[in-house]
């Protein structure tokens, strides 16, 4: 029985676990980058801009770090950062790291991880992004937008007009001082003053709310958005949009991340239905299933800042919205398990133990019988 369990675990069926996966050819082929971890929920990943082999992964149980590109992993700050980690960001120079967990917001410098000073509504966070200056970070909490000007030590609310509603996604525009792009009330919106005032770009709305918004690795003025299973792109920071290709095979898929080649021919989409890829500008989409989990949620994508062809994806058995909701309510992940399920699990373990004892007793009797003189 022990041999059977060991062999089944070593197989690491991708459909049975969440985890971290890497592609070196913009999503054409994928390999798991978390060998031996068997993660339940990988929520977010960040790549060190100074060292591409240095990775940080936020999970439902804290942070994991790798210094060799995912060949081995170790827990990070387990005595400081407790609970699910929803957001991670490196400063542009890689000197600082910040994370937002269910238990608070933390920053790491040469002295290690320390708790940041934040208002109560900052956690759990929806997003955490580095600004163009090395000491500026933006934190999207569950109700408000916050900014830090001191390397993530303290955060203050970014004031905005009352008409602006719920913000669900946030990115900074590369090469700009204060330009942000966000999803607010299901619409793609742009701010040119660090989030104080916002302009509706005209994409999205109640009929087809925007799932997410993403910047482009090769063109600073280009932004991508997804709504209703369709991709759209703007080459002038939202002043004009045009649809890209056809709808995803799963029309109700909620898009979590978008990555594109410089010519916009190759597109990679992560969603709550997995990962899709197109080689013809979105005219056709193929689900990526080889070596990847199937039928479970994929979270935001992360690209290597030093190699645009390298892309990371995270997967979670538990829906991301559920993990975030439970952090918001302060619930325990184990509370999802119904009492009858616990009883069933305990009963199964008892049966396994009884079966093992009976098998051992039977074997010992056979051996004794074989050794006794006839």
């Amino acid at each position: 029985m022990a041999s059977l369990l060991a062999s089944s675990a070593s197989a690491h069926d991708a459909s049975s676990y969440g985890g971290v996966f890497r592609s070196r050819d913009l999503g054409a082929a994928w390999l798991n980058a978390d060998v031996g971890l068997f993660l339940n929920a990988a929520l977010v990943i960040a790549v060190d801009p100074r060292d591409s082999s240095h990775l940080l992964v936020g999970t439902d149980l804290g942070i994991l770090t790798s210094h060799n590109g995912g060949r081995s992993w170790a827990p990070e700050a387990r005595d400081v950062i407790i609970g699910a980690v929803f957001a991670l960001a490196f400063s542009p120079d890689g000197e600082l790291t910040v994370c937002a967990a269910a238990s608070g917001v933390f920053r790491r410098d040469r002295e290690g991880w320390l708790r940041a000073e934040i208002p109560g509504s900052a956690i759990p966070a929806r997003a955490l992004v580095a600004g163009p200056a090395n000491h500026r970070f933006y934190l999207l909490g569950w109700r408000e937008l916050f900014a830090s000007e001191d390397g993530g030590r303290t955060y203050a609310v970014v004031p905005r007009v009352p008409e602006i509603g719920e913000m669900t996604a946030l990115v900074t525009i590369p090469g700009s001082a204060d330009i942000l792009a966000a999803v607010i009330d299901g619409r793609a919106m742009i701010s040119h003053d660090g989030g104080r005032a916002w302009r509706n770009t005209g994409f999205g709305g109640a009929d087809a709310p925007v799932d997410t918004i993403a910047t482009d690795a090769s063109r600073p003025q280009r932004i991508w958005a997804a709504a209703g299973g369709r991709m759209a792109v703007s080459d002038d920071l939202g002043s004009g949009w045009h649809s890209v290709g056809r709808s995803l095979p799963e029309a109700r898929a909620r898009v979590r991340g978008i990555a594109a080649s410089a010519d916009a021919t190759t597109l990679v989409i992560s969603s709550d239905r997995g990962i899709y890829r197109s080689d013809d500008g979105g005219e056709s989409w193929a689900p990526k299933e080889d070596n990847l989990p199937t039928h479970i949620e994929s979270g935001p994508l992360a690209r290597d800042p030093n190699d645009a062809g390298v892309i990371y994806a995270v997967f979670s058995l538990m829906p991301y919205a559920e993990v975030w909701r439970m952090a918001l309510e302060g619930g325990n992940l184990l509370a999802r398990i119904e009492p009858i399920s616990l009883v069933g699990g305990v009963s199964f373990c008892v049966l396994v133990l009884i079966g093992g004892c009976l098998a051992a007793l039977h074997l010992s009797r056979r051996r004794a019988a074989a050794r006794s003189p006839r």
Side-chain angles (χ1 to χ4, degrees), residues 28 32 37-38 44 50 70 78 126 130-131 149 158 190 213 221 224 226 264-265 271 290 302 306 312 330 342 363:
N32 61 305
L37 288 183
F38 306 103
V44 65
R50 297 177 305 177
R78 59 169 55 176
R126 301 178 189 266
E149 302 289 344
V158 176
I190 295 290
I213 196 164
Q221 297 292 306
W224 295 84
T265 299
S271 74
D290 294 343
N306 304 304
Y312 289 87
L342 288 173
L363 289 174

Side-chain angles (χ1 to χ4, degrees), residues 155-371:
Y155 290 82
V157 174
V158 176
R160 51 180 176 158
V161 296
E163 291 76 13
I164 296 297
E166 183 181 22
M167 188 180 301
T168 54
L170 177 73
V171 294
T172 55
I173 304 301
S176 65
D178 296 297
I179 303 179
L180 306 175
V183 177
I184 302 176
D185 292 335
R187 295 176 171 84
M189 304 188 78
I190 295 290
S191 172
H192 289 267
D193 59 2
R196 291 170 176 80
W198 293 89
R199 172 177 61 85
N200 188 351
T201 68
F203 181 71
D207 295 335
V210 177
D211 294 334
T212 193
I213 196 164
T215 56
D216 194 277
S218 58
R219 298 190 180 185
Q221 297 292 306
R222 174 178 289 177
I223 54 176
W224 295 84
R230 294 290 298 269
M231 302 303 115
V233 65
S234 171
D235 287 320
D236 49 16
L237 293 180
S239 295
W241 293 88
H242 65 268
S243 297
V244 176
R246 303 177 184 274
S247 298
L248 295 173
E250 292 279 353
R252 296 183 180 179
R254 295 287 302 275
V255 175
R256 312 290 193 197
I258 306 171
S261 60
D263 60 2
T265 299
T266 301
L267 304 174
V268 182
I269 304 299
S270 62
S271 74
D272 60 350
R273 309 299 175 90
I275 289 183
Y276 296 92
R277 188 175 189 267
S278 174
D279 290 319
D280 53 12
E283 291 299 322
S284 62
W285 295 94
K288 301 302 295 183
E289 298 179 347
D290 294 343
N291 298 319
L292 288 176
T294 57
H295 310 300
I296 68 173
E297 291 200 23
S298 178
L301 299 171
R303 299 182 79 164
D304 186 338
N306 304 304
D307 187 342
V310 177
I311 186 171
Y312 289 87
V314 290
F315 286 80
S316 174
L317 281 176
M318 187 182 300
Y320 290 96
E322 180 72 1
V323 180
W324 192 83
R325 182 190 64 80
M326 298 187 74
L328 179 63
E329 296 177 357
N332 190 309
L333 296 180
L334 293 178
R336 297 179 71 253
I337 304 177
E338 298 178 355
I340 191 170
S341 300
L342 288 173
V343 172
V346 171
S347 301
F348 176 76
C349 293
V350 170
L351 288 175
V352 170
L353 289 174
I354 292 174
C357 292
L358 291 176
L361 180 61
H362 177 68
L363 289 174
S364 63
R365 288 177 176 176
R366 290 189 61 182
R367 290 176 180 176
R371 293 175 181 175

